[in-house]
Amino acid sequence: MASVKKYAAIYVVLLVLAAGKFVFFELDQVFGYWDAFTGVMALAVAKTALIMWYYQHLNEEPRSITYLVLGSYFLVLLLAAAATFSITSGVY
Amino acid sequence: MSELPPKSSVKRWLVTTNHKDIGILYTVTALFFLVFGGILALLIRAQLWGDLGDGRLMSGLAYNEAVTAHGLVMVFWFLSPFAFAFANYLVPLQIGADDLAFPRLNALSFWLYAFSGVLLGISFFQGGTLDAGWTIYAPLNLPAYTPSIGSTTAILALFMFVVGVTASTMNFLVTIHHSRAEGMGLMDMPLFTWSILLTVWMMLFAFATLLAVGLILASDRIFGSLFFDATTEGGSLLWGHLFWFFGHPEVYIVFFPALGVMFEVFQSFSGRRIVGRKWVIAALILIAVQSFLVWMHHMFLTTINLEIKTLMMALTIGISLPFDLIVFALIYTLIKGRIRYTTPFLYSFGALFFIVVGGITGVFLGAIVLDYEFRGTYWVVAHFHYIMFGGATALFGGLYYWFPKMTGRMYNELWGKLQFAVFFVGFNLVYFSMFAAWETPRRVFEYVEAMTPIHRVGTVGAFILAFSFLMMFYIFAHALRHGEKVGDNPWDYTRTTEWAVPSPPPLENWEGRPSFEGGSLNFVSKATDGGHASAHDHEGHADHASIWPFAISVSMLVLLLGLSGLTVWNGREITGVSTGYAAVTAIGTVAFLGSMLQFGREGFSAPQPAVAERWPFEGMDKNKLGTWFFIASDIMVFGAFITAAIFIRFEAGWTTWQPVTDSIYGLVNTFILLTSSFAVVLALVYARRGSKKGTMAAIGATMFLGLSFMAVKAVEWHEKFFIDGVSWATNVQYTTYFMTTGLHALHVLLGLMIAAWLIFRTKEGAYMDDDRPIELFGIYWHFVDIVWVFLFPLFYLF
């Protein structure tokens, strides 16, 4: 288990990342819609990784737990991406 | 409650949590549903006979109900539970465990299953049950097309069933990964246990998706949300994706345990190990993975694009390759062995024949152009039954095989063989005739006159098949009373541990601790535990009885029955609420919460083995491992909701939608949840330091922040409802927003209830020596935070 200081530091980083997501869409003169979209998703993934690794203590568990969780996320991604792709117009 | 009444007492069967008792309960209940589904099948076949002189047997609507209920009952309430009857009874015995990891949860799974079936039965008397087919396609699944209250009840029954299955899935995963006896590595496990392990891995992801589908559909039917709204094709395609993402793995979920039975029976009655055992296991793993990659081959006739159809066709052909390996391994095992033609062997061999026929005819359906021709015809029905009922055939063989172990009595072998012969003839008459009449449209009872003789052959076959089951029940009933008593092992050659204990096995399975250290599982007949048997190396005495799983399940039935009639539909308008159903809902809610509370308060000991093989989850407490499996499952539930939101928005044109609410609400709640996550971490830190005050303060802060989150949510929703005048029934965008964030809010609410319990227990002095419950709560609470990390941009920024 990490020290309180380390947990507090991670908390501050998480707050900054959360604010960053909001800022992307506030600065619409700087970022286009899809730039902001990509940036927000990147920050969301970073936040998730931090929470899982340090707050849920995946760093202290057998690595197979990480693979288990990543497996679930992968299947969600697969379902969402493949389903959505299936209704694009396609080449043919 | 911990003392277990004798088997002659009815009370025993209501309170037992022992895995062998639960296995017996599953067996009897699943066979009941076989009869239920079988009677529906006979009604269908009678209808297909043709005009009976004064018309058909059933009205069109009644026929549709019979077809739908037959499919649902056989797929959900018979096949898988029948397989899990064996899994319950045998997996702990095969891996050298005393019981499942969570015996009370196991009892709860069973009673949820049993009472969900009762709920389905009740649905027939509520203006008719669901008549949309077992695939429950949208828009047929919406109240506009299936308006009866019974239709909603059937959906809720399926939901209740899936809740039980989800609990069972986590239980088996933890058991097999956490309770294997010393020396039993994964590769040493019997093939039946392997088949169950891979089945529950598939179930973890597939049934979680079905759970979400059930929630979404129930929300559409009861609360009037519009996920599967019929106004665009997106609704029906969304159903197709979500349902078949579950539905295709479900084929293997049903089929793998049957394969597991075949492996064991082929080994026992050929007198040799399965040829290419390691490759067979590798093939099973590959199929389990591939099962999640081919779901759209069930959607070739929809408007999904040709690229994805082509990819799915290639992947579908790919999945047949590991199956070929398994079939050849089975055949070669027989060639290399000396076969003894007992009834279990005949059933397993018959199943192999059916699977080959079903598999070959299924390849046709995997090809896009052929599927265009065959889809929607009796070809599919025939193929499907050769595979699914072919699997059931192996399970019947399993029943004959393990009957002596479960009862201590032997059945009459000659009668068994005769019964198999009648079964085999009936099976092929009813299902092979469907190939001959393949041009008949599926789910329709009218067909061209030239098909009449073929369909009549099928109907005769169905009644022969039904008669074979009467024979089977008689054989078992006779054996129970008059069968010859058997010892530990009635068969000449066996390879698994259940045959090394008495028939039936004692309550706690073993005299001492089983161990496979220094040897392997590959022992012959009456091998013992290698001399390691001593006192149980456990942390305490195990309890075996609790009434609360039964009580929770009954009250959930009442609650869902009440919910089914709460909304009265007139197209899309809510026209009234039945006070009777409202009262039933209230009673059910109170009873459910009360029994859940008692379940939580009951002191029930299910110690984990001190010595066990746990790869790849070494060093983990079983509760923590169970929590992680739950999180993995919950990711899929939220994933299905999020997929629905993304899919619907994409179909509507992504950028045509704007966020439906002010992003500041989402941002504030993001900060609140992040802070609450930090507070939970602090609670764990204080608990480890032994600071009662600090722990209570930190959990209290978590609660305060959670309540603050709910308060912001309340303000946000109030603005939507009462100022903007919108709700989830306004349009599909609001549906995704309200229902997905609503599901998240429910998770927060559940977390708050747990937090309140933790504060209460901390005040009593708990958790200072054992902080594991706080850690588990933290894992859950952080997950709720993570979900919000994605919901915030999806509904407040994009």
Side-chain angles (χ1 to χ4, degrees):
Chain A
M1 211 176 169
S3 65
V4 174
K5 272 187 185 173
K6 190 168 183 180
Y7 286 129
I10 292 161
Y11 169 60
V12 171
V13 173
L14 288 171
L15 288 181
V16 171
L17 291 178
K21 284 157 76 175
F22 184 73
V23 168
F24 267 120
F25 274 88
E26 287 300 300
L27 300 177
D28 49 3
Q29 291 89 359
V30 180
F31 300 105
Y33 180 86
W34 291 110
D35 295 333
F37 181 97
T38 309
V40 165
M41 288 310 293
L43 292 184
V45 170
K47 275 176 70 182
T48 302
L50 281 174
I51 295 171
M52 282 169 55
W53 197 248
Y54 292 107
Y55 280 8
Q56 289 186 312
H57 296 116
L58 276 184
N59 57 345
E60 295 172 13
E61 305 295 358
R63 200 56 61 238
S64 45
I65 293 291
T66 307
Y67 300 143
L68 166 69
V69 177
L70 288 180
S72 275
Y73 283 124
F74 170 76
L75 284 174
V76 170
L77 195 63
L78 174 73
L79 174 62
T84 307
F85 173 76
S86 76
I87 53 170
T88 57
S89 56
V91 177
Y92 302 106
Chain B
M1 184 187 294
S2 62
E3 293 307 313
L4 197 57
K7 284 184 180 174
S8 55
S9 159
V10 173
K11 187 180 171 189
R12 155 86 169 227
W13 300 100
L14 300 182
V15 301
T16 183
T17 63
N18 182 263
H19 73 99
K20 295 179 292 297
D21 289 350
I22 301 289
I24 299 286
L25 286 169
Y26 266 108
T27 305
V28 172
T29 313
L31 288 174
F32 168 80
F33 283 111
L34 169 69
V35 173
F36 184 3
I39 290 170
L40 290 166
L42 291 179
L43 287 173
I44 294 166
R45 290 309 317 186
Q47 183 89 348
L48 289 168
W49 184 267
D51 197 321
L52 297 171
D54 55 350
R56 301 264 182 175
L57 185 68
M58 293 180 281
S59 67
L61 188 64
Y63 181 79
N64 286 346
E65 288 179 29
V67 168
T68 303
H70 165 73
L72 289 173
V73 167
M74 289 303 201
V75 171
F76 293 108
W77 277 274
F78 164 60
L79 274 169
S80 274
F82 192 37
F84 272 76
F86 299 126
N88 264 279
Y89 203 99
L90 296 160
V91 165
L93 288 168
Q94 291 196 337
I95 64 172
D98 287 354
D99 205 321
L100 268 85
F102 307 107
R104 268 196 319 169
L105 194 65
N106 193 31
L108 179 62
S109 294
F110 167 73
W111 288 113
L112 285 172
Y113 152 61
F115 284 110
S116 68
V118 173
L119 193 59
L120 183 73
I122 292 172
S123 72
F124 280 87
F125 304 98
Q126 292 177 294
T129 189
L130 189 68
D131 60 338
W134 85 274
T135 48
I136 323 176
Y137 283 131
L140 286 178
N141 56 16
L142 295 174
Y145 299 93
T146 44
S148 69
I149 291 175
S151 299
T152 306
T153 306
I155 302 295
L156 292 173
L158 185 59
F159 168 74
M160 184 174 172
F161 172 82
V162 177
V163 172
V165 167
T166 304
S168 186
T169 299
M170 288 180 278
N171 210 345
F172 273 94
L173 280 167
V174 175
T175 302
I176 299 175
H177 281 300
H178 197 268
S179 307
R180 297 192 310 275
E182 184 184 26
M184 179 175 276
L186 275 183
M187 290 305 286
D188 302 321
M189 290 194 315
L191 285 172
F192 177 73
T193 297
W194 254 111
S195 75
I196 294 299
L197 176 63
L198 292 169
T199 300
V200 288
W201 269 107
M202 288 187 284
M203 287 165 71
L204 178 71
F205 304 113
F207 268 90
T209 311
L210 184 64
L211 188 68
V213 171
L215 277 172
I216 291 173
L217 184 55
S219 150
D220 273 9
R221 294 191 68 95
I222 296 171
F223 300 113
S225 60
L226 303 168
F227 279 104
F228 301 123
D229 183 36
T231 54
T232 68
E233 66 177 15
S236 56
L237 280 177
L238 174 65
W239 175 268
H241 281 298
L242 294 181
F243 181 82
W244 286 115
F245 189 78
F246 146 78
H248 194 77
E250 166 69 358
V251 175
Y252 306 112
I253 287 165
V254 168
F255 194 67
F256 267 32
L259 272 177
V261 172
M262 289 166 70
F263 293 138
E264 300 295 351
V265 171
F266 271 45
Q267 290 183 137
S268 290
F269 299 107
S270 68
R272 65 160 297 138
R273 203 172 84 145
I274 286 286
V275 172
R277 187 177 186 275
K278 285 181 184 171
W279 291 103
V280 166
I281 293 171
L284 288 170
I285 294 170
L286 190 58
I287 293 167
V289 172
Q290 287 177 298
S291 71
F292 287 94
L293 305 176
V294 296
W295 78 89
M296 277 183 260
H297 74 214
H298 296 273
M299 301 170 69
F300 282 161
L301 282 196
T302 68
T303 55
I304 60 173
N305 62 45
L306 190 56
E307 285 88 346
I308 201 85
K309 285 180 186 173
T310 309
L311 177 64
M312 288 289 153
M313 180 172 73
L315 291 170
T316 301
I317 291 165
I319 208 168
S320 67
L321 300 177
F323 258 119
D324 294 341
L325 186 149
I326 289 170
V327 168
F328 283 119
L330 286 168
I331 292 171
Y332 201 56
T333 302
L334 298 185
I335 291 171
K336 298 286 282 183
R338 293 187 58 172
I339 301 169
R340 281 173 296 121
Y341 292 92
T342 60
T343 309
F345 175 79
L346 291 175
Y347 263 99
S348 290
F349 192 66
L352 180 62
F353 171 77
F354 295 151
I355 290 161
V356 170
V357 173
I360 291 171
T361 53
V363 173
F364 289 71
L365 299 168
I368 299 169
V369 287
L370 292 175
D371 191 63
Y372 281 0
E373 187 68 16
F374 287 127
R375 181 71 49 184
T377 71
Y378 261 62
W379 185 277
V380 178
V381 184
H383 152 72
F384 184 81
H385 280 87
Y386 265 91
I387 291 292
M388 301 295 260
F389 212 57
T393 303
L395 296 177
F396 296 132
L399 191 57
Y400 276 104
Y401 179 56
W402 281 300
F403 182 84
K405 176 55 58 186
M406 296 163 107
T407 63
R409 304 267 185 176
M410 180 53 88
Y411 61 88
N412 184 310
E413 189 63 61
L414 178 65
W415 293 359
K417 289 176 183 173
L418 190 63
Q419 188 270 331
F420 169 74
V422 178
F423 170 89
F424 191 79
V425 170
F427 185 111
N428 284 296
L429 280 177
V430 63
Y431 299 124
F432 203 84
S433 67
M434 290 180 184
F435 284 124
W438 73 269
E439 286 171 294
T440 308
R442 193 179 171 187
R443 300 190 180 108
V444 175
F445 56 81
E446 288 177 336
Y447 47 81
V448 293
E449 203 173 333
M451 298 284 183
T452 303
I454 303 173
H455 279 296
R456 289 190 173 176
V457 166
T459 300
V460 170
F463 279 89
I464 292 172
L465 190 61
F467 177 69
S468 78
F469 285 114
L470 290 180
M471 291 172 70
M472 189 175 80
F473 294 142
Y474 177 77
I475 289 168
F476 287 139
H478 181 271
L480 276 176
R481 291 178 67 88
H482 307 294
E484 188 185 333
K485 287 191 176 174
V486 295
D488 297 358
N489 185 1
W491 311 117
D492 293 335
Y493 177 94
T494 54
R495 303 176 55 83
T496 47
T497 328
E498 73 270 23
W499 302 108
V501 291
S503 307
L507 184 67
E508 293 187 348
N509 294 348
W510 325 98
E511 287 295 320
R513 177 170 65 82
S515 170
F516 298 88
E517 191 70 22
S520 77
L521 187 60
N522 300 330
F523 54 85
V524 176
S525 189
K526 307 190 181 192
T528 60
D529 61 6
H532 286 77
S534 59
H536 284 255
D537 293 341
H538 288 152
E539 293 168 356
H541 174 71
D543 290 324
H544 296 290
S546 170
I547 192 63
W548 298 112
F550 178 84
I552 290 171
S553 306
V554 173
S555 55
M556 191 167 178
L557 179 146
V558 176
L559 168 60
L560 294 180
L561 182 63
L563 271 181
S564 70
L566 266 192
T567 305
V568 181
W569 279 87
N570 172 16
R572 283 201 184 155
E573 300 298 321
I574 297 172
T575 57
V577 174
S578 157
T579 48
Y581 277 107
V584 172
T585 307
I587 292 167
T589 305
V590 171
F592 179 72
L593 292 176
S595 47
M596 284 290 284
L597 186 65
Q598 290 302 323
F599 186 88
R601 289 182 49 167
E602 184 180 46
F604 187 92
S605 171
Q608 51 190 343
V611 180
E613 300 293 337
R614 288 174 180 148
W615 189 86
F617 300 106
E618 298 97 336
M620 290 194 78
D621 168 73
K622 70 172 182 178
N623 294 311
K624 193 197 276 187
L625 185 56
T627 303
W628 277 112
F629 281 125
F630 167 75
I631 296 293
S633 168
D634 216 13
I635 290 171
M636 296 306 299
V637 173
F638 272 109
F641 272 78
I642 291 171
T643 296
I646 292 172
F647 184 86
I648 290 169
R649 181 168 178 177
F650 190 83
E651 200 258 343
W654 185 271
T655 49
T656 60
W657 285 14
Q658 301 297 320
V660 295
T661 191
D662 194 335
S663 57
I664 199 69
Y665 289 125
L667 183 67
V668 170
N669 265 344
T670 298
F671 288 143
I672 288 174
L673 271 190
L674 283 177
T675 310
S676 73
S677 265
F678 182 53
V680 171
V681 170
L682 289 182
L684 188 59
V685 170
Y686 284 121
R688 289 195 177 166
R689 288 178 183 173
S691 167
K692 189 171 160 183
K693 276 188 180 175
T695 307
M696 284 180 66
I699 301 177
T702 307
M703 272 198 79
F704 172 76
L705 290 161
L707 288 168
S708 303
F709 176 93
M710 295 300 282
V712 172
K713 176 69 57 187
V715 170
E716 180 187 326
W717 280 29
H718 177 271
E719 183 182 298
K720 288 286 130 201
F721 280 125
F722 300 107
I723 298 174
D724 297 351
V726 296
S727 75
W728 49 75
T730 300
N731 62 38
V732 73
Q733 184 180 8
Y734 280 109
T735 283
T736 59
Y737 157 73
F738 275 109
M739 289 304 163
T740 313
T741 60
L743 180 70
H744 179 265
L746 275 179
H747 276 68
V748 174
L749 200 60
L750 177 65
L752 287 172
M753 288 158 70
I754 299 170
W757 173 255
L758 290 178
I759 288 181
F760 172 71
R761 293 283 296 136
T762 307
K763 197 176 174 188
E764 286 186 334
Y767 312 136
M768 293 304 105
D769 297 325
D770 179 9
D771 55 43
R772 285 178 298 178
I774 294 177
E775 188 183 6
L776 301 188
F777 170 66
I779 292 171
Y780 170 79
W781 191 261
H782 298 311
F783 169 68
V784 173
D785 190 3
I786 288 171
V787 173
W788 188 256
V789 166
F790 291 94
L791 296 194
F792 168 47
L794 186 59
F795 293 109
Y796 297 83
L797 296 178
F798 291 161

